[in-house]
Every structure is written in C-alpha cells, then in structure tokens.
C-alpha cells in the first residue's frame, strides 16, 4: 500500500510541476515597444507615450483563438486521471511503469482535448502605411467606420481615425 501511495504522490507531483512550467501567453505584440525615455529630467513615474500617423492600407478578417496555448487544466486533469488508471494495471515495477505511462498519456490527451475545445472568433488585421514609410499591422476586435485609405493616428497601441 505504501508503494501505491508513493507512486501516486510522485505522479501527481510530476503533473503539477509540468503544469507550473507553462508560461503565460501574451497576445499583444506591441506591449513592450515603447521607447525608453532619453531625457533624464523627466519625471520617472510619467507614462510612456507613443504616437504615429499613417494611412490604412488593408483590412482583413482573420480567425483568432480565444484560449491559452500553453499547458492548462486539461493536461493536469488528464495526467491525474491517466495516473490513477495506470496505477490499476499490473503490480510491482509493471504498475510503476503503467502509472508513469498513464500520467504522460493522460496529460497529452487532456491537453489535446482542451485545444480542440478552444473557441475561434473573427478579428480584423489592419495594415497601416506610416508617414515615415514604415508599415505596421494591428489586430482589432472591430473596425467601426474605418476604411482603406483613411488617415489614422496610432497612439499608445490604439488606432484612431484622423
């Protein structure tokens, strides 16, 4: 009985450790693009500010998944269930191997089920030709009355008609 409890504890620990290795998914590509302040005389707690002007070059509808792409609850639950089921098979070292295989297999299956259940939504990819000649794309939930050819202002990663 002590061996079974130890094996289950090891299996659960490994699942939780693997789940803890997953990092957060940051889907905001422009989150860290603010320039560092060059003027040392500015207040240190002043918010960063970034603006640019340009013309809308293209608007495309794209599919965007609404979930996390890392290891999530599906992998953890699958690993636990797989470990418990694998522990029911065989005895001795065969049981240990079956538990380990059950944990890994269950985590893989649980993760795949979670990914299959993620929802997809429409988003708008707006291409902007900036006045300085650069090209920037932004992913928006809605374009409102924005059309190709409109003058726009990009201010702190937000798009405004100009």
């Amino acid at each position: 009985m002590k061996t079974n409890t130890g094996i289950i504890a090891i299996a659960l620990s490994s699942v939780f450790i693997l789940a803890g290795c997953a990092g957060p998914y940051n889907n905001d590509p422009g989150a860290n693009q603010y320039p560092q302040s060059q003027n040392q005389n500015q207040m240190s707690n002043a918010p960063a500010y970034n603006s640019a002007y340009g013309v809308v070059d293209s608007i495309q509808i794209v599919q965007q998944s609404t979930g996390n792409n890392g290891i999530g609850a599906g992998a953890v639950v699958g690993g636990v269930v797989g470990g418990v089921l694998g522990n029911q098979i065989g005895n001795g070292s065969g049981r240990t191997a079956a538990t380990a295989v059950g944990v890994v297999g269950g985590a893989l299956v649980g993760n795949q089920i979670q990914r299959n259940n993620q929802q997809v939504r429409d988003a708008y990819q707006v291409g902007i030709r900036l006045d300085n000649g650069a090209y920037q794309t932004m992913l928006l939930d809605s374009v409102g009355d924005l059309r190709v050819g409109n003058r726009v202002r990009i201010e702190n990663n937000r798009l405004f008609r100009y």
Side-chain angles (χ1 to χ4, degrees):
M1 186 67 180
K2 281 186 174 181
T3 334
N4 292 342
T5 306
I7 292 171
I8 291 175
I10 290 171
L12 289 174
S13 298
S14 64
V15 167
F16 288 117
I17 288 171
L18 286 174
C21 292
Y25 175 70
N26 185 1
N27 64 351
D28 185 5
N32 297 322
Q33 293 180 356
Y34 295 120
Q36 295 295 326
S37 174
Q38 299 297 325
N39 187 356
Q40 298 300 325
N41 296 332
Q42 289 180 342
M43 295 177 17
S44 62
N45 60 357
Y49 183 78
N50 186 10
S51 68
Y53 295 88
V55 176
V56 175
D57 189 50
S58 66
I59 300 175
Q60 299 176 1
I61 298 177
V62 295
Q63 300 290 315
Q64 183 180 28
S65 66
T66 60
N68 188 351
N69 291 333
I71 296 174
V76 174
V77 171
V80 170
V81 171
V84 170
L85 292 177
N87 193 39
Q88 305 301 316
I89 299 172
N91 55 16
S93 61
R95 178 175 282 180
T96 304
T99 302
V101 169
V103 167
V104 172
L108 291 173
V109 169
N111 192 31
Q112 190 60 42
I113 289 172
Q114 180 183 356
R115 285 185 181 195
N116 290 343
N117 287 336
Q118 288 179 346
Q119 295 181 359
V120 176
R121 66 182 177 97
D122 287 339
Y124 297 90
Q125 184 177 1
V126 179
I128 303 141
R129 175 66 60 194
L130 300 177
D131 289 347
N132 64 5
Y135 193 82
Q136 182 173 349
T137 58
M138 297 184 73
L139 198 60
L140 305 174
D141 292 331
S142 170
V143 291
D145 63 347
L146 194 63
R147 303 289 179 255
V148 173
N150 287 144
R151 294 266 314 145
V152 291
R153 180 181 79 238
I154 302 170
E155 189 172 295
N156 290 334
N157 265 348
R158 297 186 67 194
L159 187 65
F160 299 97
R161 206 166 153 200
Y162 178 66

